[in-house]
Amino acid sequence: MKIKMKSKLTYIAFLLVLTVFSCKKEPQFSDYKYADKPVAFTCEGINSKLLNEALYSFEDDITNHYKGRSQNFRLDQAYSQIIRNSVFGRLKLEDIVSKHTLNVFNALKNENDLWDANNTKSHLNYNGTAMNCISNGIKDESLKTTLDALLSTNSMSPKLFGSPLTTKYRYALNDKNLAMYIALDLYYAKMFDVDFSKVNFNKPEQKVDFNQLPPKTEVDPHAGHNH
């Protein structure tokens, strides 16, 4: 009788633990659109699969938005535009963010170590695991030195580190640690301040009226050159 009672209590305890765990567990993100893409960013202790999805979705967003009517638009030009507009406060996320990216962002919000509610300069956690991986992996020595100095002195901000990026935007093509930083701090972190409930993601694409457009729409004149 005692054995049966003990077994029953053990089973009930197990069910209680399982129930509590299930209640706390957030719904898992499953809508991976870029799962077949090469792994661009990986780091121990983070949700690499979700962050890679975030990076690829970000790159698609900025390319689709900034290419305008250009047939030969390149990803590095999109990086140039997004960095400048984000750093200088001209970013209109309502016009850029896709429905898929918003879904990715909602999943990213559950990654607690990724964000810092007490960071007054950015919602990104500059002391988190992802940021630590980014700072350790950046290839360009001058950018790495600048980033490390800003982080170590608690002076880091999107504007301070974004400024040198405005002339080194092309590095993001071959350095996905740098690309990940740009995506997280200059794009996703800023989504916390946007009310996307008012955004119509189903609006049809506007037809281009070539008579209304200047010769080069939204393309940085410096985007195709080295500095």
Side-chain angles (χ1 to χ4, degrees):
M1 185 72 177
K2 288 184 178 180
I3 295 175
K4 285 186 178 180
M5 182 63 71
K6 187 175 181 181
S7 298
K8 190 174 182 179
L9 289 172
T10 302
Y11 179 67
I12 292 172
F14 171 76
L15 286 179
L16 285 172
V17 171
L18 187 63
T19 302
V20 171
F21 177 78
S22 299
C23 290
K24 288 184 177 180
K25 193 175 182 181
E26 297 288 346
Q28 293 294 310
F29 181 81
S30 59
D31 184 22
Y32 287 97
K33 184 178 176 182
Y34 306 94
D36 59 332
K37 295 279 189 180
V39 175
F41 179 76
T42 185
C43 174
E44 187 176 349
I46 65 166
N47 191 339
S48 295
K49 188 176 181 182
L50 182 59
L51 284 173
N52 275 275
E53 185 75 9
L55 179 59
Y56 281 117
S57 196
F58 157 71
E59 290 186 337
D60 262 9
D61 278 4
I62 61 175
T63 300
N64 291 332
H65 178 71
Y66 289 116
K67 69 181 180 182
R69 63 189 175 109
S70 173
Q71 298 297 314
N72 300 308
F73 193 79
R74 304 186 310 273
L75 180 57
D76 63 322
Q77 293 173 303
Y79 266 106
S80 174
Q81 292 297 310
I82 197 70
I83 292 169
R84 289 175 183 275
N85 288 333
S86 186
V87 169
F88 297 114
R90 300 193 299 260
L91 196 61
K92 294 183 178 179
L93 289 170
E94 300 91 333
D95 299 332
I96 306 174
V97 176
S98 64
K99 179 62 176 175
H100 181 72
T101 296
L102 180 59
N103 291 337
V104 173
F105 171 61
N106 286 330
L108 285 174
K109 286 193 289 189
N110 296 322
E111 301 294 315
N112 294 327
D113 183 62
L114 198 56
W115 313 110
D116 181 3
N118 297 316
N119 186 350
T120 58
K121 299 173 183 176
S122 168
H123 295 290
L124 186 63
N125 182 7
Y126 291 145
N127 297 310
T129 304
M131 194 64 192
N132 185 55
C133 285
I134 288 170
S135 63
N136 287 335
I138 286 181
K139 296 177 181 179
D140 182 73
E141 284 300 323
S142 63
L143 283 177
K144 180 174 170 51
T145 299
T146 299
L147 180 58
D148 289 345
L150 289 171
L151 290 172
S152 64
T153 57
N154 293 318
S155 305
M156 179 63 182
S157 73
K159 191 161 189 177
L160 284 178
F161 189 57
S163 294
L165 289 181
T166 59
T167 58
K168 295 192 173 184
Y169 57 88
R170 301 181 91 181
Y171 290 21
L173 298 183
N174 298 314
D175 185 350
K176 291 308 174 183
N177 283 279
L178 184 61
M180 193 77 252
Y181 165 75
I182 295 168
L184 289 176
D185 208 14
L186 303 186
Y187 196 64
Y188 284 102
K190 295 184 179 296
M191 291 186 198
F192 282 97
D193 303 319
V194 179
D195 182 4
F196 285 102
S197 67
K198 299 178 181 178
V199 177
N200 179 15
F201 290 100
N202 298 315
K203 60 180 180 289
E205 290 186 11
Q206 294 183 348
K207 292 183 179 180
V208 178
D209 183 352
F210 293 100
N211 295 318
Q212 297 290 328
L213 292 173
K216 292 185 179 181
T217 303
E218 291 191 276
V219 176
D220 190 331
H222 303 290
H225 306 281
N226 287 316
H227 295 278

